[in-house]
Each structure stands twice: as structure tokens, then as C-alpha cells.
Amino acid sequence: MTDTRLLRTTARIALPALPLLAVAYAAPVLSTYGPLRNRVMPRLAGRGREDHVALTFDDGPDPLSTPLFLRLLDERRVHATFFLLGSQAVRAPGLVREIAAAGHEIAVHGWLHRPLLLRGPRATHDDLARARDTVGDLTGRTPHLFRPPYGVMSTAAHLAARRLDLTPVLWTAWGEDWRARATPESVHRTVTADLRGGGTVLLHDSDCTSAPASWRATLGAVPRILDTCAARGLSVGPLREHAVDPL
């Protein structure tokens, strides 16, 4: 068989399979749909024990805003899980150590805040590995929890997470606090509309990928969210205290 015929034969066989491969690669994106995830993927959604709510923050650390969240949480005697971006962590290594020293749980949000669905297997693995290793070096403890940017998983992300001993965790309630029009009232209202015992709350302690100064609305909403949890008889803490089976 000539090279030309070989190429034509290979293309005739492979091209029809490409759409199926693309669907298989992107299939985990279905987990982005909250109601489906919460119902059929409770572990990925961050479902835990029914008397507890996991409080989580994404996109930090930020030298301007994160210290204010740490002060507030210290005043309320609450610990949380911080999903850090590696690119942010290297800019504020002392702040990363401060978060850990305050007793908060450190997790990773990738190196750069870019959709993993648009990356190949090698780039996905390298992004997660770089973030994990950098944060681990800064804190002296390798993180084991991972949240993908935008909450969008891919097959490559699942495989890379497994190889790197990272457990993906999304959320059951969020505050839409990245929006320019967000207010403490809107963030509290949006979170509590979906707040249930055993749930995981997603907020942001940084505006590096959000509307400028949007973190101020989040900071104002956190005490209200904590008060609502207390009124409902729910304790609040990091994911490490949340799961029925440790993550």
C-alpha cells in the first residue's frame, strides 16, 4: 500500500471516530450542572455530614483581600478550605503560609485560571502538578483536594487528578459573588437559597478573575451566611471536617 493510500485509509477509519472521542473527553463537563451533580455525584459535589456546611474560597491568595477574610474567620472562630491558584501563591508565599498557620485547609485551584476542557492531557497534568507541588513546598504539606477553574472537569483532569493523588471537589451552593453587581445581600440570598446541611459553599476571597473589588460583597456576606447556618443548627468548617468518608 502506498503512503497516499495508507493516509486515506487511516483518515477514512479515524475521522468518524473523532466526534466520539471529543464527546468522551468532554463528558465530565456534565458535572458542571449543579442539580445533576448534587443528585448523582454527591462526592464530587462536596456532600458531607448533614449537620455540617463546608465553607470554601477560590482564586486566592490576594494580599489585599485575603487577610481581611482571615481576620473575619478568626474573629468568628471558623476554619475554611482555600483553593489556591499556583500563580497567585508564588506572588504571596508568606500569605500562603499564614493561611495554613491559621489552621485553614489548603487545596489547589490549578496554576492558571483557564478552562481545563480546552487543554490536552499533558498540559492538564502539568498545570495541576505545578500548582500542587508549589503549594506543597510553601506549606510543607502536599494538598490533596482540587477544584477545577469554572468547575469544569474533563477526562484528562480526572486522570491527572488520580495520578497526582488529588480529589476533585465542586460545590452545592455558591454566591455568584464574582459579578460586578454583587452585594452582601445578594451573595447571602443566593447562597442560602441552596444551603442545606451537608452542603459545600463556594465563595471567592480574591477578584483576580472576577469583577474588580467584588470580594467586598463576599466579605460582607460571610457573617450573614455564618449566622444563617447557626440559626439552622449547622456547624461550619473546612472540607476535612465535612465528609462522612474523609476526602
Side-chain angles (χ1 to χ4, degrees), residues 10-26:
T10 302
R12 187 168 61 251
I13 296 172
L15 287 177
L18 288 179
L20 295 177
L21 292 173
V23 169
Y25 185 82

Side-chain angles (χ1 to χ4, degrees), residues 55-72:
L55 180 63
T56 72
F57 295 94
D58 284 8
D59 292 0
D62 188 312
L64 176 64
S65 53
T66 301
L68 299 178
F69 285 87
L70 295 179
R71 185 183 310 166
L72 170 60

Side-chain angles (χ1 to χ4, degrees), residues 29-83:
V29 78
L30 293 174
S31 64
T32 306
Y33 181 58
L36 174 65
R37 178 176 72 244
N38 295 344
R39 176 174 295 184
V40 303
M41 308 174 198
R43 185 177 176 85
L44 180 61
R47 294 291 306 176
R49 60 180 218 261
E50 292 299 319
D51 63 340
H52 188 266
V53 168
L55 180 63
T56 72
F57 295 94
D58 284 8
D59 292 0
D62 188 312
L64 176 64
S65 53
T66 301
L68 299 178
F69 285 87
L70 295 179
R71 185 183 310 166
L72 170 60
L73 295 173
D74 180 63
E75 291 172 352
R76 297 297 296 253
R77 298 184 179 181
V78 171
H79 290 125
T81 300
F82 285 80
F83 286 89

Side-chain angles (χ1 to χ4, degrees), residues 3 32 50 66 69-70 89 104 123 128 161 169 172 178 225 229 231:
D3 290 345
T32 306
E50 292 299 319
T66 301
F69 285 87
L70 295 179
H104 300 290
L128 300 190
V169 183
T172 64
W178 62 86
I225 293 169
C229 289

Side-chain angles (χ1 to χ4, degrees), residues 198-224:
T200 291
V201 174
L202 162 64
L203 297 170
H204 298 79
D205 63 304
S206 167
D207 62 3
C208 70
T209 63
S210 306
S214 55
W215 59 264
R216 296 183 184 277
T218 310
L219 188 67
V222 169
R224 306 176 191 209

Side-chain angles (χ1 to χ4, degrees), residues 7 9 79-80 91 93-94 97 145 161 174-175 198 203 209 220 237 245-246:
L7 289 173
T9 301
H79 290 125
R91 297 172 183 170
R97 298 187 187 100
L145 298 181
W174 62 7
L203 297 170
T209 63
D245 297 316

